[in-house]
Amino acid sequence: MNRPRPARRRTATATAPVLLALALLGGGCSGGVEGTPGAVGLRDPYFPGLGNGGYDVTHYGLELDVDPAAGRLRGTATITARATQDLSAFHLDLLGLDVESATVEGRRAAVNRAGKELTLRPAPGAEGRLRKGRTFTAVVRYSGAPQTVTDPDGSKEGWLPTADGAVALGEPTGSMAWFPGNHHPSDKAAYDIGITVPEGLAAISNGELVSRRTANGRTAYRWRTAEPMASYLATVAVGRFATEESVTPDGIRLFTAVDPESAAASKDVLARMPAVLKWAAGRFGPYPFSSAGAIVERTGDSSYALETQNRPVYPGPPDTALLVHELAHQWFGNSVTPKTWRDTWLNEGFATYAEWLWAADHEDVPVAESFREAYEDDANWAFPPADPPTAAELSEPPVYGRGAMVVHRIRLAVDDDAAFFALVRGWTKKYRHGNASTDDFIAYVEEETGQDLGGLWDAWLYGGSRPPLEG
């Protein structure tokens, strides 16, 4: 995400009603189903009710039929997961939509709803026993009017109606507005997303376009994302788009979808995408996905850019700095994904630092100058980037600007540019397609550099006040 255009605050979702869910499910074995219910929520520092325990999703198969004019969606979610404990029941995050039926391993499952928590209890019997280590499939059929989630500062996520369709944006909790799942960034999965829309509209999603077929006044698009993806990075954009497909000299498939009203003003910047990807690969390591691209909405359809995997969403024609920022997120945030939302500075700090690096390499603005400008900005010192006070501050300036300053202080401590960029490339390689925390990052940097950087972390990452510029 890009904060400066404009600032985007976050608010915690309400904690799921754990006691009610457990009362509905019971505890231990009953009715021939063995095990215990999976946990409600993963106790994220800012969103304790987000995500669910007891299983790990490996694949989402989503079939969506979208009626933009009516503002309605009908969906079938086929969720493949591996049990990490003996499960008598498990939870999915789902906001607002009506569940019509659910099955687990092909047998009808009991369904309970409690706020944003959807609970499935497998049918009794041997087929319903979800033993630890077992891979199982759940199918949920649902429909309704997907909701737009409004944050306290007025920014919106979830399912956003646009002038000619809709766009789904999910950071940090909005993806539950359009499909059920384990919506915590620590549970990444592959995706197949099919979207059927009225003929004349396009339906764009992540990954690669597998097929597009029109019949009886409806067009069905199928998209596939083979690499693991956190659910907040999944997107669907429905509307009138001018689309273009190509392949970069490095073999990366590009797919861009641009609202006609934004096409002329976007053309030159989007044409720089192959060059930006090549430059970023030299700095950060090989591009981690097989495809890239962009979704450019008309101005006013959304209020911020989001680094949706493979294909960032832009709220109108982007400038080059914004393009660099969102493409850098494909390494930092999308491939190397935070373990919890407290670790989001690793996403935004590196993406902001990428802007500084691009400006140094292409616009004659030294990184030291960008660093000093950020250092002198009082807004960057409101709180430590690795410890925002509440969920409402997760997208505030310290996470971006001071996060980038931390990265630069590491570069100064290494005192060797070749070694520093080798360090960065090693980080994206070690945690490629995985999750990493701030503690993982600190341990990695100190192990690789052989330095005790406790003073750096205390002053720049966790300190409560602005440290001296020198020293």
Side-chain angles (χ1 to χ4, degrees):
M1 185 174 13
N2 185 269
R3 179 199 59 80
R5 289 170 271 270
R8 177 154 162 76
R9 299 186 179 184
R10 301 292 183 184
T11 182
T13 52
T15 303
V18 179
L19 294 179
L20 175 58
L22 291 179
L24 290 169
L25 291 169
C29 304
S30 67
V33 178
E34 299 179 1
T36 56
V40 180
L42 294 179
R43 298 186 178 181
D44 185 272
Y46 301 101
F47 306 98
L50 189 64
N52 300 284
Y55 64 95
D56 173 58
V57 179
T58 58
H59 183 266
Y60 289 95
L62 305 178
E63 294 293 336
L64 310 174
D65 192 297
V66 180
D67 184 345
R72 296 188 64 81
L73 174 154
R74 180 175 295 277
T76 299
T78 301
I79 302 168
T80 304
R82 181 180 59 85
T84 57
Q85 67 178 64
D86 291 347
L87 285 171
S88 62
F90 60 93
H91 302 268
L92 299 168
D93 303 313
L94 181 65
L95 174 66
L97 297 165
D98 299 321
V99 174
E100 298 169 358
S101 66
T103 62
V104 176
E105 290 296 89
R107 304 180 69 199
R108 193 172 186 88
V111 177
N112 288 312
R113 292 294 296 269
K116 300 177 181 70
E117 290 296 322
L118 172 66
T119 307
L120 304 186
R121 179 195 285 274
E127 294 90 345
R129 292 174 185 161
L130 302 184
R131 296 286 181 86
K132 181 179 180 179
R134 177 179 178 179
T135 296
F136 64 93
T137 299
V139 179
V140 181
R141 293 177 174 82
Y142 58 100
S143 63
Q147 295 185 18
T148 297
V149 180
T150 303
D151 290 338
D153 66 349
S155 59
K156 299 179 185 297
E157 58 174 314
W159 190 266
L160 283 65
T162 62
D164 56 2
V167 62
L169 301 176
E171 186 177 353
T173 66
S175 293
M176 70 174 73
W178 58 282
F179 71 97
N182 197 12
H183 289 294
H184 190 269
S186 61
D187 194 356
K188 301 169 71 172
Y191 283 72
D192 281 277
I193 302 179
I195 315 135
T196 301
V197 295
E199 185 177 359
L201 297 182
I204 316 301
S205 190
N206 310 87
E208 297 174 15
L209 181 62
V210 176
S211 65
R212 174 174 45 203
R213 295 186 178 91
T214 299
N216 302 318
R218 307 280 289 173
T219 303
Y221 292 76
R222 302 196 68 81
W223 296 86
R224 176 165 298 155
T225 304
E227 300 95 349
M229 178 168 69
S231 65
Y232 81 90
L233 298 169
T235 190
V236 166
V238 175
R240 301 188 186 279
F241 292 102
T243 63
E244 185 173 328
E245 299 180 61
S246 62
V247 180
T248 73
D250 299 320
I252 301 168
R253 298 183 186 182
L254 295 183
F255 188 104
T256 59
V258 184
D259 187 287
E261 290 193 4
S262 297
S266 301
K267 182 179 179 180
D268 290 345
V269 171
L270 294 182
R272 305 188 77 175
M273 198 179 309
V276 173
L277 289 169
K278 184 177 180 64
W279 168 85
R283 293 296 198 177
F284 310 137
Y287 182 68
F289 305 108
S290 58
S291 63
I295 300 170
V296 184
E297 294 282 1
R298 71 181 68 186
T299 301
D301 279 350
S302 64
S303 60
Y304 57 94
L306 186 64
E307 61 272 18
T308 43
Q309 192 157 302
N310 314 107
R311 197 154 292 111
V313 175
Y314 298 98
D319 60 21
T320 301
L322 183 57
L323 183 78
V324 169
H325 185 103
E326 302 307 332
L327 290 180
H329 271 309
Q330 305 306 305
W331 284 264
F332 306 105
N334 297 12
S335 177
V336 185
T337 303
K339 281 186 178 177
T340 76
W341 284 110
R342 179 167 283 156
D343 306 309
T344 194
W345 79 272
L346 288 167
N347 300 7
E348 302 300 349
F350 269 103
T352 302
Y353 197 67
E355 293 185 60
W356 296 2
L357 293 173
W358 178 269
D361 289 350
H362 298 87
E363 299 167 8
D364 295 324
V365 180
V367 171
E369 182 176 324
S370 297
F371 175 89
R372 181 174 288 277
E373 181 179 346
Y375 178 85
E376 293 173 351
D377 185 349
D378 292 342
N380 285 324
W381 302 99
F383 57 83
D387 193 21
T390 70
E393 281 81 35
L394 283 177
S395 291
E396 289 297 294
V399 176
Y400 293 71
R402 191 169 165 189
M405 281 188 271
V406 172
V407 176
H408 191 60
R409 295 303 298 195
I410 296 169
R411 183 178 179 179
L412 295 177
V414 171
D415 198 26
D416 182 310
D417 276 0
F420 169 75
F421 286 108
L423 182 76
V424 173
R425 290 190 294 270
W427 171 252
T428 62
K429 180 179 179 180
K430 181 172 183 176
Y431 289 97
R432 180 182 174 95
H433 299 320
N435 294 86
S437 67
T438 300
D439 287 345
D440 292 329
F441 181 71
I442 290 172
Y444 168 81
V445 171
E446 294 197 344
E447 180 179 355
E448 293 297 315
T449 63
Q451 297 186 51
D452 179 354
L453 298 175
L456 189 158
W457 312 127
D458 289 345
W460 296 89
L461 187 58
Y462 287 108
S465 60
R466 185 165 11 202
L469 188 59
E470 304 299 332

